[in-house]
Amino acid sequence: MAESPRPGGSARAGGPAPRGSLGPAWLGAALLLLADWALLRPALPGVASLLVPAALPLLRVWVGGLARWAALGLGARGVLRATVGPTREGGALGGLAALQPLAAALGLALPGLALFRALVSWGAPGGADGARLLHWGSRLDAFALSYAAALPAAALWLKLWSLWARGGPAGSADPVRRLLGCLGAEVRRLPLVLGLLVLSCFGEMAIPFFTGRLTDWILQDGPASAFTRNIALMSILTIASATLEFLGDGLYNSTMGRVHSRLQGQVLRAVLRQETEFFQQNQTGAITSRVTEDTATVSESLSEQLSLLLWYLVRGLCLLGLMLWGSPFLTLVTLAALPLLFLLPKKLGKWHQMLAAQVQESLAKSSQVAIEVLSAMPTVRSFANEEGEAQKFRQKQQEMNILNQKEAVAYAVDLWTSTISGMLLKVGILYVGGQLVTSGAVSSGNLVTFVLYQIQFTTAVQVLLSTYPRVQKAVGSSEKIFEYLDRTPCCPASGVLTPLDLEGLVQFQDVSFAYPNHPDAPVLQGLTFTLCPGEVTALVGPNGSGKSTVAALLQNLYQPTAGALLLDGKPLPQYEHRYLHRQVAAVGQEPQLFGRSFRENIAYGLTQKPTLEEVTAAAMESGAHAFISELPQGYDTEVGEAGGQLSGGQRQAVALARALIRKPRVLILDDATSALDANSQLRVEQLLYESPERHSRSVLLITQRLSSVEQADHILFLEGGTICESGTHQQLMQKRGRYWAMVQAPGGSGDPE
């Protein structure tokens, strides 16, 4: 037997195919199909007749079908190998990649139909002849039927495989597999959902089926008991179908809801793992769109669009099987008319959509003219151009009216073609069906059943064609999401060091740094200094000298491009992430608060929730307790979005309390007191220089308010990324250098510059 169908599975090669290789390939495919008609069609039935007794017609059909699959599959494999080599990706050959699934579909189409008809006619008189009549070697219509069923099946298989295959043309990393992987343990529910779906579809087919039966009963004037029995069975099956659909939808939607939450959480966690440069290189809106909108699009498509796709796909397949069982010839007529029924309206629908987009664009332009005029009325009035602006608006309105007329015509033509094509198909089915009823090939009830099936089938195909693009859109959105999930952060992984007796000794050893987006513009060059426990080291200098970059490196937000930054003799990345940021706390000039209560903001990031007494003590140290205690709800008061209900000084005081509650060994104040009043500033200076806890921590004080650094143990003057002066306040004032000049400048010892 030939290998299982897989698009291009036998054609894989490394380099690109020669430009002229597709011509011989198509010629080989044409010769293969000609051989199917001229050689396999007359030969294989005779071989099957010799191997299988006449009493087993169904087995004969299966032997012939499997032999046909094997012969066509080997031929397709030979055509592809002879053209582009044994390992070439079949997807590069376009339609030729469907040769192997087409061979499988041709081999299995009639045996599958014969088996289906044998099962549904089990025990019925003459049921055994169903397989014999489908012997494709003796009936040309059966041979044509196999191609009518195989071609769309192969095309569908190739399309699905293109979504499933690894490394598609757009470089996608297995989006469908990844989407299914997002289901996690929930994937075990899918077989149950699919089973409920199939049973519900078969139950829904009860109405057309029993409608046909009742039609025959009316025409034949059957007994009342048969009528009652059919109505009862139809009611039971319809209720059962609705119940199964309810259970399936409920199970599916609950599963997809959990998948949405899990997927959004995974994307957010992946984003939070990224390095600091990632958030500088990507706009916040773009990141938020990935985390919220793209995951919502994927989840919505999984929960709604994929549900519709599965429902109507299963429904369409069930209807197609029942149509083939009822009348293969009428089914062929329906399948042949489908392109006319959908392709032409689809093309016209694109024309209508294009015109609708142009109408919206024209409307936006005319609205823009009105908005521009109304917002600049003094200018319009001063130049006496009211009539000119009105004329310009009328021109835009005339353009929009012309487009509106074209859109109306396009809409009417689109609706007319859809309606007329559907009516022509129904008339054609009724005409051909009437001929079959007249000849006695089918009964009147079977014709009614088939027409009802055909109407539902065309509706299912229409929904599938409209739903499939939205599922593709979800796959596209998922690729964007998986870019974040697969992205490896450039920052080093969290270390493992969590010492119990950290001293807080910080050493900058010949540290240089340049931001990744400007690698040729160094911000720090050969920086060497030490922060000692119990001491306050002040870092001063002009704007742009690199002071805040020093604070960022000490928080491990960036990695030095040269040199080493040590904490108690160990590089910062070797410390465990949460442990490091409990021991190293920073307060900036414009601290970020969250739209939560004061208590939650002060305790932010702590794994062990502090008591209210601990929160209050930290707020008293920072000077925040005074204004928090005056609020009606105290520490449970919401601070507003980003602390918008607080002044700049109040936000700095809360942020300082957030740092102090951690009892850090290294405290960084990056211009963190610029917005504080005199009393709060004095309280912070007492905290730095007179607090009993000052001996247990190293302090890096970055400020433009030079009066705050006079008591510092060390003062470093940073300029151009290098330390050009260092010492105490008295020593630097005696040098009369850059520090002395800054102190003597207007405002140098008072407010910041």
Side-chain angles (χ1 to χ4, degrees):
M1 184 184 297
E3 62 184 10
S4 59
R6 183 170 60 86
S10 61
R12 295 181 181 270
R19 186 175 296 273
S21 63
L22 293 182
W26 282 109
L27 179 60
L31 292 176
L32 184 63
L33 298 182
L34 181 61
D36 184 37
W37 163 266
L39 298 178
L40 299 181
R41 185 179 66 88
L44 288 182
V47 175
S49 300
L50 293 176
L51 296 177
V52 181
L56 300 173
L58 182 60
L59 183 58
R60 279 190 176 183
V61 175
W62 273 97
V63 169
L66 294 177
R68 185 186 188 190
W69 178 12
L72 292 177
L74 291 174
R77 185 172 185 175
V79 168
L80 294 175
R81 281 195 169 186
T83 304
V84 294
T87 58
R88 172 69 180 164
E89 265 302 337
L93 295 178
L96 287 174
L99 277 179
Q100 287 199 340
L102 178 61
L106 287 172
L108 297 177
L110 292 178
L113 179 59
L115 179 61
F116 178 77
R117 294 188 67 175
L119 291 175
V120 298
S121 60
W122 187 270
D129 295 335
R132 186 177 291 109
L133 294 177
L134 284 173
H135 205 293
W136 59 275
S138 58
R139 295 191 55 179
L140 296 181
D141 58 344
F143 184 81
L145 177 63
S146 66
Y147 271 89
L151 286 173
L156 177 62
W157 174 260
L158 186 63
K159 192 67 176 179
L160 293 177
W161 181 260
S162 68
L163 290 177
W164 181 270
R166 294 181 180 273
S172 60
D174 235 354
V176 176
R177 290 177 185 267
R178 296 294 302 273
L179 282 174
L180 292 177
C182 292
L183 296 177
E186 311 293 341
V187 74
R188 293 176 295 182
R189 298 187 175 189
L190 288 186
L192 177 58
V193 172
L194 189 59
L196 293 173
L197 185 61
V198 172
L199 293 176
S200 176
C201 286
F202 276 114
E204 190 178 353
M205 307 306 157
I207 295 179
F209 177 77
F210 284 104
T211 301
R213 295 278 296 269
L214 292 176
T215 301
D216 286 336
W217 176 85
I218 294 172
L219 294 176
Q220 298 172 5
D221 196 17
S225 58
F227 175 82
T228 305
R229 184 169 58 252
N230 287 331
I231 290 293
L233 287 175
M234 182 174 65
S235 302
I236 292 172
L237 290 176
T238 302
I239 295 173
S241 173
T243 304
L244 292 173
E245 182 180 357
F246 171 78
L247 294 175
D249 286 345
L251 185 61
Y252 182 85
N253 290 330
S254 64
T255 301
M256 291 302 112
R258 284 191 289 270
V259 170
H260 179 204
S261 300
R262 183 188 301 116
L263 181 61
Q264 199 166 38
Q266 289 176 351
V267 177
L268 181 59
R269 285 192 294 271
V271 169
L272 295 178
R273 288 196 302 267
Q274 303 306 317
E275 70 280 4
T276 307
E277 295 93 328
F278 171 82
F279 299 97
Q280 295 177 341
Q281 296 170 359
N282 295 274
Q283 296 181 352
T284 303
I287 299 175
T288 305
S289 176
R290 294 280 181 95
V291 176
T292 57
E293 294 181 10
D294 287 345
T295 54
T297 299
V298 172
S299 300
E300 179 183 354
S301 297
L302 285 176
S303 60
E304 295 181 11
Q305 305 304 327
L306 185 59
S307 175
L308 283 175
L309 189 69
L310 289 175
W311 168 254
Y312 281 98
L313 180 62
V314 172
R315 187 178 186 183
L317 292 176
C318 293
L319 287 166
L320 182 60
L322 292 171
M323 289 164 60
L324 288 171
W325 170 52
S327 175
F329 186 72
L330 291 177
T331 305
L332 280 177
V333 174
T334 302
L335 295 177
L338 284 181
L340 176 64
L341 189 62
F342 295 111
L343 292 183
L344 183 58
K346 183 178 180 182
K347 296 296 182 182
L348 294 174
K350 289 183 178 179
W351 179 42
H352 174 237
Q353 292 174 3
M354 180 187 67
L355 289 174
Q358 292 179 358
V359 168
Q360 293 298 321
E361 183 179 356
S362 177
L363 178 61
K365 289 180 179 179
S366 62
S367 300
Q368 181 62 32
V369 171
I371 293 173
E372 188 177 18
V373 171
L374 295 175
S375 62
M377 273 307 299
T379 303
V380 176
R381 185 66 53 83
S382 65
F383 286 92
N385 195 36
E386 294 89 347
E387 184 59 32
E389 294 294 343
Q391 178 64 26
K392 185 176 180 180
F393 186 77
R394 282 195 297 271
Q395 291 176 355
K396 296 294 182 182
Q397 290 290 99
Q398 289 174 359
E399 295 175 3
M400 188 173 65
N401 288 336
I402 294 174
L403 289 174
N404 274 326
Q405 293 174 4
K406 292 182 179 180
E407 183 193 10
V409 172
Y411 175 77
V413 172
D414 184 20
L415 183 62
W416 179 81
T417 53
S418 300
T419 304
I420 198 67
S421 56
M423 291 177 60
L424 289 175
L425 177 59
K426 292 181 179 66
V427 170
I429 293 295
L430 290 174
Y431 175 77
V432 177
Q435 298 295 324
L436 295 177
V437 171
T438 303
S439 63
V442 296
S443 66
S444 301
N446 289 338
L447 178 60
V448 171
T449 298
F450 184 90
V451 170
L452 294 177
Y453 284 154
Q454 180 265 328
I455 294 173
Q456 294 184 6
F457 177 73
T458 53
T459 302
V461 174
Q462 187 175 14
V463 173
L464 288 174
L465 292 176
S466 62
T467 304
Y468 181 72
R470 291 192 284 269
V471 175
Q472 280 187 314
K473 180 182 177 182
V475 173
S477 299
S478 71
E479 292 178 358
K480 298 177 183 178
I481 292 172
F482 294 137
E483 287 179 11
Y484 279 5
L485 291 176
D486 297 335
R487 190 180 189 277
T488 302
C490 297
C491 57
S494 174
V496 295
L497 293 180
T498 57
L500 298 177
D501 54 350
L502 188 74
E503 295 182 6
L505 177 66
V506 177
Q507 296 170 290
F508 280 73
Q509 296 181 348
D510 198 25
V511 170
S512 299
F513 177 76
Y515 287 99
N517 51 346
H518 298 291
D520 298 329
V523 179
L524 302 177
Q525 303 180 63
L527 211 61
T528 299
F529 65 90
T530 302
L531 302 180
C532 298
E535 296 183 354
V536 176
T537 300
L539 192 62
V540 298
N543 292 329
S545 58
K547 303 186 296 296
S548 295
T549 302
V550 171
L553 290 175
L554 187 50
Q555 295 174 71
N556 202 33
L557 301 180
Y558 301 96
Q559 304 304 311
T561 53
L565 204 171
L566 308 178
L567 177 61
D568 280 10
K570 303 292 184 182
L572 285 185
Q574 293 186 9
Y575 288 90
E576 196 272 330
H577 176 66
R578 291 188 179 88
Y579 174 84
L580 175 65
H581 291 282
R582 283 198 306 270
Q583 304 300 331
V584 179
V587 184
Q589 181 180 6
E590 297 180 358
Q592 178 68 51
L593 300 184
F594 298 89
R596 305 166 190 174
S597 66
F598 284 100
R599 182 172 183 175
E600 290 176 292
N601 272 284
I602 294 175
Y604 181 77
L606 295 177
T607 54
Q608 184 175 358
K609 186 176 181 180
T611 63
L612 181 59
E613 290 74 17
E614 294 173 324
V615 173
T616 304
M620 293 180 69
E621 281 189 284
S622 69
H625 178 72
F627 66 85
I628 296 177
S629 59
E630 294 177 355
L631 298 172
Q633 297 179 349
Y635 285 87
D636 292 326
T637 305
E638 299 287 330
V639 303
E641 184 178 358
Q645 298 180 8
L646 307 180
S647 66
Q650 289 174 333
R651 285 197 297 271
Q652 288 185 343
V654 174
L656 182 58
R658 180 171 61 189
L660 294 176
I661 197 173
R662 299 168 177 268
K663 301 188 182 300
R665 296 298 183 183
V666 180
L667 179 62
I668 306 169
L669 300 180
D670 186 3
D671 218 4
T673 62
S674 59
L676 297 180
D677 56 28
N679 291 333
S680 299
Q681 175 72 22
L682 180 61
R683 184 180 292 105
V684 173
E685 291 180 5
Q686 293 174 349
L687 173 70
L688 295 180
Y689 301 114
E690 301 176 11
S691 170
E693 296 183 357
R694 62 161 294 185
H695 301 288
S696 63
R697 61 179 171 234
S698 304
V699 177
L700 178 64
L701 176 61
I702 301 173
T703 182
Q704 294 279 5
R705 184 175 286 176
L706 299 183
S707 61
S708 302
V709 306
E710 294 180 0
Q711 303 179 56
D713 299 282
H714 301 282
I715 300 176
L716 306 176
F717 193 92
L718 191 65
E719 186 173 21
T722 60
I723 297 176
C724 57
E725 292 181 4
S726 65
T728 63
H729 174 72
Q730 291 77 11
Q731 292 171 345
L732 294 178
M733 292 297 292
Q734 292 174 1
K735 287 183 179 180
R736 301 177 70 86
R738 298 288 297 125
Y739 177 79
W740 176 85
M742 179 174 282
V743 173
Q744 296 301 318
S749 60
D751 295 332
E753 296 176 334

